[in-house]
Amino acid sequence: MKTRSVFFYISFALVTVSGFAQNYEAKVDSLMNLMTLQEKIGQTVMYSGHWDQTGPIIGTDNDKYIREGHMGAMLNAMSVKGTRDLQKLAMEESRLGIPLLFGYDVIHGHRTIFPINLGLSASWDLKMIEESARIAAEEASAEGIHWKFAPMVDISREPRWGRISEGAGEDVYLGSEIAKAYVKGFQGEDLSQPNTILACAKHYVAYGAPQAGRDYHTVNMGEGELRNVYLPPFKATVDAGVETFMSAFNELNGIPTSGNQFTLRDILRGEWGFEGFVVSDYTSINEMIPHGFAKDSIDAARLGINAGVDMDMMGHVYRLHLEQLVEEEKVSEAYINDACRRILLAKFKLGLFDDPYRYINKERENTTKYKPEFLQKARELAAASSVLLQNKQQALPLSKNTKSIAFIGPLVKDEYDIIGNWAAKGDRNGKAVSVFEGISEYLKPEQILYAKGCDILDTGDSEFAEAISVSKKADAIVLVMGEGHHMSGEAASRTSLKIPGVQPELIAKIREANPNKKITLVLMNGRPLNLSSEVALVDAILEVWFPGTMGGAGTADVLFGAYNPSGKLTVTFPRNVGQVPIYYNMKNTGRPIPESNPKEDYKSNYIDVPNTPLFYFGHGLSYTSFEYSDLELSSESIGFSETLTASVNVTNSGNYDGYEVVQLYIHDKVASVTRPVKELKGFQKIFLKKGETKDVVFTISAADLKFYNHKMIYGVEPGVFEIAITPSSDFKFENTFTLKD
Ligand code: NOJ
């Protein structure tokens, strides 16, 4: 291409794009008329900016690719300075001057880090979750980012899998509601505003059910389970207007999900009508080679684009091979046009063709991070996400008047692990508030005793003696322990669910030395843990996950009763790893354990532990008590087009004001395919002053009772349904209604 025609095309393209076309589609068409096939392919290519997060960087000729128009998007490139330089290169030195799209992993906050996503889900607070996403979008967009690789909406019932920490837990209904809240928070009302960002529903699909809990591993699953459990949160994001999807690493029933025409073309595009673009996960197209699905990288490119993956993240295979594949008629040019069109459309929606530098504003960058109101929200969410698992002898809340309290454990003073994995640009060196700092707001220095006791992964007990001696001097003991942040997240699967290292031994020693003192265990971790020994050794257990930048402050608010805990588990805590997978809405089997004789032989049980979990989905205590009474149904039966209301009185019968998460469950007793023993169908988080009663009302329609049958038809079947409104999933149904023919 000669210089003269390059300039001609640039100006022609810009005039065409901004001047004449009336809507985005027409503008995209005008632009695409000017593009060569290789430039269109260029839009489908994404490379990493200055560093890689999760995989090897293959080739780093970024500037060259940008100049040649062979790159449409970048990940891991941010900051006003960094993105301005790159955008300038694209605008001024590529033939058509098409702006780049900058994407980043903004998972649970950007600078201000909120609790990890599993923790956020335990708040059951959709409004607060949406607000956290909005704040993350504000901060990230102020650093030049247009697109975040979130939300992760993978349902997971697999605590060995490290990425369970990134999702919303095990439940379909709750997971779908939370998925929508994230999308709304990230994308806002108007994508052309510079503080809104493209969301990305990932990892499509069934990535959360890896064989043996090992990351990236095989998934085998019937279509019924896929459609009834793993697909709905993705569908919910489409309904909420999500702009992008990410195909996953795993194979699904023998077909890698980044080359899966059934899930990508038939379901996502065909059934759901998704119009945004699909990006691969990091080299997931290339990984179809070791999967044994693609012969080589040319084949991988063919399989990826033909399946419907529009953009190749880091794989280089689209840039290198798509043109040849079109020439050889192995890939239809129409697929490349579609992919390019979708990506350009997203850039138009963001307003990048009106002003490619609209996210690049030094003043915004300087003034947007860590705003006091962001930090305040992070503190509130740290408190709202924590779950009081156990509170024997009312060990919590702590009293500010206690003469001395010993804080012991490797995470008491931690400012590093507390923000968890995937903490974007969160500062691990001094910005986060440790638990020690948090409790210092409530206690005078002379009331605080401290010993580390051990490191997270220590194998020796050299620091035990000091910790035990400190514990003996105190009137109450708080242990702050758990996993390191690197023990969950990507490629961080574990075969043990125990608190790591010698921490469990230290807990036992401290109890032995203090048989009558109240001991509280504050836990930071990214997955359900096996706490079977600890429940007997300590009085209170407060699960705070990795609570984020303000984690120590929010945790202290709960410990001292300034915030009455209201979090409830969104994932089951097993008794041991041998029970996995264990989740509340399992099937019944033909030989369930009879209530009248739980020990009866030849039933579906274990001979060493009960079937029940240690802590149920939906479980979470409060400092007050709530009583549920007078469940009322508006009718004993409903027709297909009618609705039923179910109501219950909830009374705060204790001594603290507080929030309660009221949960509605149903059970479809007999159906053409077996249905789970319990299914969450609604929830309300209500606030009750002490002594106050509220009538909590849910409305149920036939649509809420739909499921995919064995012919994969989505519908509802008449019959008897059990129903309950309860504080957790640990209950027995006592009421029914009938759906009439
Ligand atoms: C791999 C991860 O699976 C995905 O979640 C992430 O968004 C990409 N890498 C980009 O960092």
Side-chain angles (χ1 to χ4, degrees), residues 705-727:
L705 309 172
K706 284 184 172 177
F707 60 91
Y708 284 91
N709 68 13
H710 64 294
K711 292 186 176 147
M712 297 310 129
I713 294 168
Y714 190 54
V716 53
E717 296 175 2
V720 177
F721 291 79
E722 292 184 293
I723 183 165
I725 302 177
T726 71

Side-chain angles (χ1 to χ4, degrees), residues 53-54 75-76 105 107 149 163 166 202-203 207 216 246 249 281-282 313 422 490:
Q53 178 101 342
T54 57
L75 72 153
N76 297 338
D105 285 292
I107 309 298
F149 308 130
R163 304 198 80 171
E166 291 174 55
K202 71 184 189 185
H203 307 83
Y207 182 44
Y216 318 119
M246 186 185 291
F249 288 124
D281 204 340
Y282 202 106
M313 185 196 289
W422 281 122
E490 189 175 347

Side-chain angles (χ1 to χ4, degrees), residues 635-655:
S635 161
E636 284 176 6
S637 59
I638 53 168
F640 274 69
S641 54
E642 291 166 344
T643 56
L644 175 91
T645 57
S647 63
V648 75
N649 283 330
V650 183
T651 302
N652 181 342
S653 51
N655 294 322

